[in-house]
Amino acid sequence: MNTLFKALNDPTRRAMLELLRERPLTAGEIADHFTFSKPTISHHLDLLRQADLVTSDKQGQFVTYTLNMTVMDELLGWLLQFKPSSDAPQ
Amino acid sequence: MNTLFKALNDPTRRAMLELLRERPLTAGEIADHFTFSKPTISHHLDLLRQADLVTSDKQGQFVTYTLNMTVMDELLGWLLQFKPSSDAPQ
DNA sequence: CAAGTATTTAGATATTTATCTAAATACCGA
DNA sequence: TCGGTATTTAGATAAATATCTAAATACTTG
């Protein structure tokens, strides 16, 4: 949960997730959408992977990142515990 | 959105929200659940307030904090954009 | 194998953050 | 008004984070 919130606590990483919503992208393609250096992008992707928000797959020279939303369900569950409707319908 | 994720990116603050799920509590009552100093607790509560996750109400010497979940809907919305089912039913 | 491309690792640095103690503020009751 | 309680503000510090450049690694192609 900590790792998840940490990964989400950065606008660049959230933008990356939104990019990957369309389709899987290579590290380079992702980097093209930002003005940060490649190592910085790589570091952000690493944090997203640590949180299991993305998976990475190396194909030759390229590393393709794919959105993995299963972990978001955990967040969704955490969120819903605050929704009174889930506890006491009314 | 930034402020919201920042506020949520701390286990103590998340625990505070879960405490407040039961009922509104004063700053002191909240502090009693943790081993941090009062100023530290106050600082965390300030961040939760900045994110609009809680409201505070001073009654005499006491400041009561109340959960305000309306802003969580924003987070829920952000989250649901990743759920394929919301885009393409299947 | 050498040169070029894609990506990551290493190491440095500036900023942000969580925490503390000490002090200030605000309120209450005698 | 004074002493006590509740909370916040100020200021300091250690740890975490985002970023960079330089270098390393891994793959591809001539």
Side-chain angles (χ1 to χ4, degrees), chain A residues 2-71:
Chain A
N2 246 314
T3 320
L4 176 56
F5 277 109
K6 182 193 293 188
L8 293 176
N9 185 31
D10 183 283
T12 302
R13 288 194 289 271
R14 291 196 300 275
M16 285 172 167
L17 293 177
E18 288 168 24
L19 272 179
L20 291 171
R21 203 160 63 91
E22 303 305 320
R23 62 183 174 83
L25 295 170
T26 67
E29 285 173 323
I30 294 169
D32 288 344
H33 286 81
F34 302 93
T35 54
F36 299 117
S37 71
K38 296 283 175 67
T40 293
I41 298 295
S42 187
H43 174 245
H44 282 307
L45 288 171
D46 187 42
L47 292 183
L48 290 175
R49 192 174 30 198
Q50 279 178 40
D52 235 2
L53 285 163
V54 302
T55 58
S56 66
D57 176 40
K58 180 156 195 171
Q59 295 150 346
Q61 315 170 261
F62 300 89
V63 178
T64 298
Y65 285 84
T66 304
L67 199 58
N68 169 28
M69 290 310 301
T70 59
V71 70

Side-chain angles (χ1 to χ4, degrees), chain B residues 6 13 36-37 39-40 43-44 60:
Chain B
K6 183 192 294 186
R13 289 194 289 271
F36 299 116
S37 70
T40 294
H43 174 244
H44 282 308

Side-chain angles (χ1 to χ4, degrees), chain B residues 1-50:
Chain B
M1 209 60 166
N2 246 313
T3 320
L4 177 57
F5 277 110
K6 183 192 294 186
L8 293 175
N9 185 30
D10 183 282
T12 303
R13 289 194 289 271
R14 291 196 301 274
M16 286 174 167
L17 293 176
E18 287 167 25
L19 272 179
L20 291 172
R21 205 159 63 90
E22 304 305 322
R23 60 182 176 84
L25 296 169
T26 67
E29 286 172 321
I30 294 169
D32 288 344
H33 286 82
F34 302 92
T35 54
F36 299 116
S37 70
K38 296 285 176 66
T40 294
I41 298 295
S42 187
H43 174 244
H44 282 308
L45 289 171
D46 187 41
L47 292 184
L48 289 175
R49 193 173 29 198
Q50 278 177 41

